[in-house]
Amino acid sequence: MTALRTEVLLCTGSDERFPPTHITDGNPNNFYLSTGSFPHEIILGFKGGVAANIQKISLSSSAVKHLVIHRCTDAKALEYEEVVDCQLNNREGNRQVEQFQVNATTVGSRVRFLKFSLQSGYEPFAGIFDITIEGEEIAGSEA
């Protein structure tokens, strides 16, 4: 299992000082900051347009209360299926570090896109420091 190369393809609401590209840049001091008025959505894709069998999703965030994660196996990103729906604990100013195990042969199979829906927060704004997806790229699956 390896960390897969991802990129932010879409993000609703962002501040130019804290852009969504910070989510995948690998710098632990950078972060994306929402602009309030929940919900917000972030769609990640795998670099090169490949599909992957994913096994773990790791999230480092701040002030996220309700998170829903969906997967999409369609190259056109038209249909999404829920993978995770959870309430995160309030860390009151400290980072929330969450890991979600995913069955690579069922809901983690042949994933092309992941949509992270920040449904609500503990504060008016929420931050995402990092999202890491672990699994295996599927050879020859380029879109």
Side-chain angles (χ1 to χ4, degrees):
M1 182 168 57
T2 60
L4 300 168
R5 298 175 306 127
T6 59
E7 59 189 334
V8 177
L9 302 176
L10 178 126
C11 182
T12 60
S14 65
D15 183 316
E16 64 185 30
R17 296 170 297 164
F18 308 102
T21 54
H22 284 175
I23 295 169
T24 58
D25 71 1
N27 184 336
N29 297 314
N30 286 345
F31 60 95
Y32 154 76
L33 186 66
S34 72
T35 56
S37 300
F38 293 95
H40 286 284
E41 292 187 345
I42 302 160
I43 296 180
L44 295 184
F46 299 105
K47 289 194 176 181
V50 300
N53 294 326
I54 63 171
Q55 296 173 301
K56 184 164 66 172
I57 301 169
S58 300
L59 172 78
S60 176
S61 61
S62 178
V64 175
K65 185 175 185 179
H66 182 196
L67 172 71
V68 180
I69 304 172
H70 293 86
R71 75 172 186 137
C72 177
T73 58
D74 176 25
K76 295 181 181 178
L78 298 175
E79 294 185 35
Y80 284 83
E81 174 186 358
E82 186 177 294
V83 177
V84 173
D85 185 340
C86 66
Q87 299 283 329
L88 279 62
N89 291 325
N90 188 0
R91 301 281 187 234
E92 297 182 15
N94 295 311
R95 289 190 190 182
Q96 300 162 303
V97 178
E98 304 290 335
Q99 293 185 347
F100 307 100
Q101 298 296 321
V102 180
N103 186 326
T105 59
T106 57
V107 296
S109 177
R110 306 198 62 77
V111 175
R112 289 192 177 273
F113 307 100
L114 288 165
K115 178 169 52 175
F116 294 78
S117 297
L118 310 178
Q119 297 294 309
S120 63
Y122 288 103
E123 303 289 336
F125 305 97
I128 305 290
F129 291 88
D130 180 66
I131 297 174
T132 302
I133 312 300
E134 294 182 47
E136 300 295 329
E137 288 184 1
I138 299 171
S141 65
E142 297 84 3

